[in-house]
Amino acid sequence: MIDTTRVRRLGLVAMVSALLVSGCTRPQPGAEFNDPFEEQNRAVHAENVALDRTLFGGGRKDKKPFLPEPVADGLINVAENLGTPSDALNSLLQFRLKPALTNTLRFAINSTLGIGGIFDPASEMGLYAEETDFGETLHVWGAPEGAFLVLPVMGPTTERDLAGTVVDAVIDPLGLLTEAPESTYITGIKLAGKVLKRQKYGDAVDSVIYDSADSYAQMRLIYLQNRHFELGIEADVIDPYEDPYAN
């Protein structure tokens, strides 16, 4: 049964989220990025880089992975499968019925035939992942993006996506339908999946963090470009490291 206390919390969190979004910082006229908190963001970014260096070797090529690649890939698949019900719910909230149906079918197939999501038979059937989140739902509803932020451990986000992350944590269907200790296991697997993704895409992440002249500026650029692409936003953003005479 659904915990009615959690349902009541959902209403409260939705109200808080609406207040957060309504208070989103608007960009300064002519500013390339909406980053009024750059000084604080850079300080948090430096702390995140220090933590990353401790955990992942600071770009060293001889660093050892936490888990062998096949095991890590399986756990990443399980973590992504556990996030699929939330994707389906957000697709519904965005009035996108086809992705909602696709995500629902993917979860059913991968949770059974895929042995809890370790394998991905749904993709082999042509049912590909339609990832989304409440930050995108807020975008569809017309909420402004707000300022760029860097959070401890979590890394780059925006005011709108931060509000979305809070709501996603509360409205996650699996979270609403499970009790401890199962809900704790689900959260742990999702967090492990994020850590293992850092391992899987280590070279690309290392190039941004440790090989850039200004890792903060490069991270901000890449994050916002990728997020805007996910949301279907077309915008001209200047790459501070692009050679103006390359063309």
Side-chain angles (χ1 to χ4, degrees):
M1 294 179 63
I2 295 177
D3 188 339
T4 56
T5 301
R6 294 182 184 177
V7 175
R8 287 195 295 270
R9 288 177 185 169
L10 172 59
L12 177 60
V13 170
M15 291 175 59
V16 172
S17 175
L19 290 173
L20 287 172
V21 171
S22 65
C24 281
T25 307
R26 300 196 176 276
Q28 296 294 321
E32 183 180 352
F33 298 102
N34 187 9
D35 190 5
F37 310 116
E38 181 171 349
E39 182 178 353
Q40 299 96 311
N41 285 340
R42 283 184 177 274
V44 175
H45 173 67
E47 293 174 356
N48 287 345
V49 170
L51 177 62
D52 184 271
R53 182 178 289 108
T54 299
L55 294 177
F56 298 100
R60 292 201 325 269
K61 301 304 180 184
D62 62 344
K63 60 183 180 294
K64 295 182 179 180
F66 287 108
L67 292 173
E69 185 175 342
V71 178
D73 287 345
L75 280 174
I76 290 172
N77 289 342
V78 172
E80 291 181 343
N81 185 60
L82 291 173
T84 305
S86 183
D87 294 335
L89 176 58
N90 275 298
S91 295
L92 282 175
L93 294 174
Q94 296 162 19
F95 310 108
R96 294 170 174 168
L97 299 183
K98 185 176 181 298
L101 178 60
T102 298
N103 284 324
T104 301
L105 291 175
R106 277 185 58 82
F107 182 71
I109 292 170
N110 286 346
S111 296
T112 52
L113 300 180
I115 313 178
I118 296 175
F119 305 103
D120 185 12
S123 291
E124 298 178 7
M125 299 177 186
L127 296 170
Y128 299 105
E130 298 275 0
E131 295 183 2
T132 185
D133 50 54
F134 199 78
E136 182 170 2
T137 299
L138 291 171
H139 165 70
V140 170
W141 291 353
E145 181 177 71
F148 178 73
L149 301 172
V150 180
L151 303 179
V153 181
M154 292 178 60
T157 186
T158 63
E159 289 177 320
R160 179 176 63 201
D161 285 341
L162 174 57
T165 299
V166 173
V167 175
D168 273 327
V170 178
I171 68 173
D172 177 20
L174 287 183
L176 291 172
L177 294 172
T178 56
E179 300 288 343
E182 288 80 7
S183 59
T184 304
Y185 299 153
I186 290 172
T187 300
I189 292 172
K190 288 182 177 180
L191 292 175
K194 293 183 182 298
V195 173
L196 292 172
K197 272 191 172 182
R198 170 63 180 91
Q199 172 184 304
K200 182 174 183 178
Y201 302 108
D203 290 342
V205 177
D206 287 348
S207 68
V208 174
I209 296 179
Y210 302 110
D211 299 336
S212 301
D214 184 345
S215 63
Y216 173 80
Q218 190 74 337
M219 172 207 59
R220 178 181 60 190
L221 175 70
I222 292 172
Y223 174 81
L224 291 175
Q225 282 186 332
N226 182 65
R227 185 55 171 164
H228 291 170
F229 175 79
E230 292 175 345
L231 299 178
I233 300 173
E234 295 184 5
D236 294 327
V237 180
I238 299 174
D239 185 342
Y241 303 102
E242 182 179 4
D243 183 354
Y245 303 104
N247 295 323

